[in-house]
Amino acid sequence: MKRLERDDLLPQETSNVILHRGEMVRPSVIRTRQAIFVTPGLLIIIFLLALPCLSLFVVSFLTRGEYGDIEMTFTLDNVRRMLGYGFFGWSADNLLILWRSVVVAFMTTLLCILLSYPLAFFLASRPANKRVLWLTVLLVPFWTNLVIRTYAWLLVLDGNMPFARFLSFLHITEPGTTLYPSQFAVYIGMVSVFLPFVALPLYTAVEKMDWSIVEAAHDLYSSPWRVFRHAVLPQTLPGLSVGITMTFVPAMGMFVVPDMLGGARYMLVGNLIQQQFGTSRDWPFGAALSLVLMVLTLGALVAATRGSKKKGAR
Amino acid sequence: MKRTSTLSNLTSVFIFIFLYLPMLSVVMFSFNASDMGLKWGGFSLKWYQQLVHNELILWAAWNTLVLAVVSTAFSTLIGTMLAIGLYRFPWKKRTAGKLNVLLHLPVVTPDIIFAVALVIAFSVIRYTTGLFELGLTTMIVGHITFQIAFVALAVRGRLELIGHDVEEAACDLYAGYWRVLTRVLLPMLKPGIIAGAMLAFTLSLDDFVISFFTCGPKSTTLPLFIYASVKRGITPEIHALSTIVMLVTIASVALMQKLSPNTKH
């Protein structure tokens, strides 16, 4: 006769239970719960964002049908068009727009950094009880609708407003000249939109800064530049890199600001993409442009993570 | 030690003027009695009175509210579930890494690529099933897609903060999983969930690009309405409308600051 084992006395199902977070359960139960929790969210992100983004690789090489539909024919036309070979021969327009988008994003980020450092120090030096108020003052434009903030500049830059009058008084512009659409207006709009994106993370870093290092640098007769370079910059780099990513990436794809303040004269790649999905109804070309923008974005993100890691390690 | 110089103070004052001057001009001109152009013609509230009678604007305001409320409700539920599923269950390290990338994808994707991706996805769904004609539904689904990640990240912060102890104690006291979830975990997550929901709501109100791409002919929201009006030429009515939107923004920012003094986004 077979000797009874302890396991035989237990119901079969409980023999493979595990202890998970203080609970006796079968692994399959854990897996089922896990799946229930993550499935809806992951499905939405995968099917509405990740896969369509990957599909850009395919759609970019398809043909535009006669009525703006997509035909399943492989073509390199969109690449050629992007490089400037169009119906009327070669033109630099598209390449220029791509190049301009990168330059504008870069310059906007740079200007925002230059303005954000003084602002971050100013905020960090406010008395503790007033700081929340000052932060709120900075957060309000951050949360104000982009369209409203951009069109507000149309009022300020109007030819009859004091700013334009002042410029014409200095003989920089003709009297009554409206200052938009122009490159200048695009930069004004971009910097005002993205400034809080750099200033807020930078402020968080400055607030946590160890000032004794700065004092030590001063005591050792460092020049202001060297104090900044060796005592302030390394400490604020985490905040700075967050700010740079939060500005450079969306700035490259920005389309509201150049659309309202730059007009047809100063288009960025965002406007070109919008045209393809709007009036032109040329999705394959729009997809090709989006693909280039996506690759540029990825490049910027990788560079930002690498850069901050490398400098952080030193 | 002096931590700020005259130069940085002056720059900061200049920056605040730079940020607020355009917004204040809008507020100022919303009270302008003059019909045309940017000449001051005396104080008047007539543009605000006209707003209340403009059915297009009321309809757009209603759409904006429906879009924000419905998308926030769904994304708060789905995002909270996602955070619990991702950070309260064992995952293989590599899978966890990939899922983490997937979760951050909506946060780092530029608006315009996000919008293009949604347009492509919706047209594929429309082509295969006939559902998802562009309109308020597609806008809601689009907003949910970008809100989920922000909610999940807000809830994750709270999950890390509260630890496992209380849940395990509840299990030791023979609470079933459902009971642990509804009586222990969710109440403890509440501040994170509320912060995530408020973030999602504000993001929805603030969004223009994704709405612009995924909207239909009848689903105009306030930002879309303002954009279309400005394209046709600025009217004083738009100044009044923008002023109201800005006031709502200031109120909600103040509320967020008050409710969550220590959370940063």
Side-chain angles (χ1 to χ4, degrees):
Chain A
M1 198 180 115
K2 190 180 163 235
R3 234 185 74 198
L4 269 177
E5 296 284 342
R6 194 174 148 271
D7 272 1
D8 293 333
L9 296 171
L10 289 165
Q12 201 58 54
E13 281 178 15
T14 47
S15 60
N16 60 348
V17 294
I18 55 160
L19 188 68
H20 177 249
R21 303 271 152 80
E23 190 189 9
M24 302 280 283
V25 279
R26 272 171 292 141
S28 62
V29 174
I30 298 279
R31 276 199 295 275
T32 314
R33 280 183 201 154
Q34 194 171 11
I36 292 174
F37 274 117
V38 297
T39 307
L42 288 184
L43 278 186
I44 290 179
I45 295 177
I46 290 172
F47 280 99
L48 293 180
L49 183 63
L51 286 182
C53 277
L54 288 178
S55 82
L56 291 177
F57 283 99
V58 180
V59 182
S60 301
F61 298 102
L62 297 179
T63 318
R64 175 187 186 271
E66 211 167 317
Y67 304 105
D69 45 340
I70 299 172
E71 279 177 14
M72 295 289 168
T73 327
F74 176 83
T75 176
L76 285 173
D77 263 11
N78 300 312
V79 183
R80 285 162 44 98
R81 261 179 82 188
M82 197 144 34
L83 295 175
Y85 297 97
F87 200 63
F88 305 107
W90 190 80
S91 89
D93 285 359
N94 289 340
L95 285 177
L96 188 70
I97 289 174
L98 278 170
W99 171 244
R100 190 189 283 151
S101 310
V102 177
V103 172
V104 168
F106 180 79
M107 289 302 291
T108 302
T109 313
L110 194 67
L111 288 169
C112 286
I113 294 172
L114 288 179
L115 290 173
S116 290
Y117 262 109
L119 185 62
F121 280 106
F122 173 82
L123 290 174
S125 64
R126 292 308 95 194
N129 56 343
K130 295 251 176 72
R131 230 176 275 169
V132 179
L133 185 70
W134 281 103
L135 272 181
T136 314
V137 171
L138 190 59
L139 271 170
V140 166
F142 179 83
W143 280 120
T144 302
N145 194 283
L146 178 65
V147 177
I148 296 179
R149 291 180 63 196
T150 310
Y151 111 75
W153 278 111
L154 299 182
L155 304 185
V156 179
L157 298 174
D158 189 88
N160 295 317
M161 292 295 275
F163 187 61
R165 285 193 183 171
F166 178 67
L167 287 186
S168 66
F169 173 74
L170 295 177
H171 295 287
I172 296 173
T173 56
E174 294 282 314
T177 317
T178 295
L179 300 170
Y180 66 89
S182 66
Q183 178 183 10
F184 170 75
V186 171
Y187 271 109
I188 292 261
M190 292 289 263
V191 171
S192 72
V193 165
F194 287 111
L195 189 73
F197 286 69
V198 183
L200 286 168
L202 199 59
Y203 158 75
T204 319
V206 167
E207 198 199 14
K208 282 189 230 144
M209 230 169 75
D210 181 359
W211 281 88
S212 59
I213 299 174
V214 183
E215 281 170 37
H218 276 299
D219 289 347
L220 296 168
Y221 299 104
S222 291
S223 65
W225 165 247
R226 282 175 66 95
V227 171
F228 176 77
R229 173 73 186 76
H230 295 287
V232 176
L233 187 63
Q235 294 197 69
T236 49
L237 204 67
L240 193 62
S241 71
V242 171
I244 291 174
T245 345
M246 278 174 74
T247 304
F248 188 76
V249 169
M252 271 196 304
M254 174 56 90
F255 106 93
V256 177
V257 173
D259 186 65
M260 290 170 100
L261 295 170
R265 272 187 247 172
Y266 209 72
M267 278 188 19
L268 300 184
V269 65
N271 308 76
L272 208 54
I273 294 175
Q274 192 269 320
Q275 270 185 8
Q276 309 313 316
F277 284 87
T279 43
S280 305
R281 257 196 96 75
D282 189 347
W283 288 23
F285 187 47
L289 291 166
S290 310
L291 190 61
V292 173
L293 180 58
M294 202 167 79
V295 171
L296 288 173
T297 305
L298 278 179
L301 285 175
V302 170
T305 22
R306 285 246 178 98
S308 64
K309 262 183 200 159
K310 208 184 279 173
K311 283 187 181 156
R314 197 188 302 157
Chain B
M1 193 191 129
K2 228 177 93 206
R3 294 182 175 185
T4 171
S5 63
T6 327
L7 183 69
S8 77
N9 287 354
L10 279 178
T11 319
S12 305
V13 171
F14 164 76
I15 290 170
F16 283 118
I17 294 173
F18 177 69
L19 289 175
Y20 277 85
L21 183 70
M23 288 156 67
L24 290 177
S25 329
V26 173
V27 176
M28 191 182 94
F29 281 110
S30 74
F31 297 111
N32 189 3
S34 159
D35 281 18
M36 295 301 287
L38 297 174
K39 288 248 159 62
W40 185 251
F43 182 86
S44 151
L45 284 173
K46 65 177 174 183
W47 305 114
Y48 289 90
Q49 286 158 355
Q50 284 194 14
L51 272 191
V52 190
H53 301 293
N54 187 328
E55 288 198 357
L56 277 175
I57 290 179
L58 293 180
W59 176 239
W62 173 247
N63 276 336
T64 311
L65 196 67
V66 170
L67 173 64
V69 169
V70 176
S71 64
T72 302
F74 278 104
S75 63
T76 306
L77 176 70
I78 299 171
T80 306
M81 283 169 66
L82 189 59
I84 296 175
L86 287 182
Y87 302 105
R88 269 298 192 265
F89 286 96
W91 291 94
K92 284 199 196 98
K93 210 173 176 193
R94 283 189 58 179
T95 326
K98 280 177 195 156
L99 291 176
N100 209 30
V101 170
L102 207 55
L103 182 66
H104 281 84
L105 198 61
V107 183
V108 296
T109 310
D111 283 0
I112 195 144
I113 294 180
F114 207 121
V116 166
L118 284 170
V119 167
I120 291 178
F122 289 147
S123 77
V124 170
I125 296 173
R126 200 164 57 239
Y127 190 73
T128 46
T129 65
L131 295 169
F132 275 18
E133 201 58 47
L134 289 184
L136 201 55
T137 323
T138 49
M139 288 167 93
I140 290 173
V141 175
H143 279 215
I144 292 173
T145 313
F146 73 77
Q147 288 166 325
I148 288 174
F150 287 95
V151 175
L153 289 172
V155 174
R156 178 179 84 168
R158 184 72 193 166
L159 271 173
E160 280 167 358
L161 199 72
I162 60 178
H164 309 293
D165 301 349
V166 183
E167 283 162 74
E168 288 180 18
C171 282
D172 285 346
L173 296 169
Y174 299 102
Y177 188 65
W178 181 250
R179 190 168 272 248
V180 173
L181 198 65
T182 52
R183 296 288 178 84
V184 179
L185 190 56
L186 287 181
M188 285 176 80
L189 286 180
K190 210 166 137 195
I193 296 173
I194 291 177
M198 283 171 70
L199 189 59
F201 190 79
T202 327
L203 283 169
S204 169
L205 286 185
D206 206 37
D207 171 72
F208 169 75
V209 177
I210 288 166
S211 305
F212 186 68
F213 275 73
T214 54
C215 69
K218 282 183 193 163
S219 55
T220 307
T221 60
L222 285 179
L224 295 177
F225 181 85
I226 294 173
Y227 178 80
S229 311
V230 173
K231 285 258 135 179
R232 283 197 300 269
I234 306 167
T235 59
E237 221 175 0
I238 293 303
H239 303 330
L241 181 60
S242 303
T243 305
I244 293 174
V245 174
M246 285 192 285
L247 280 178
V248 172
T249 310
I250 293 174
S252 58
V253 171
L255 189 72
M256 276 210 282
Q257 287 284 75
K258 202 159 206 169
L259 285 182
S260 52
N262 295 318
T263 48
K264 282 157 192 132
H265 32 259

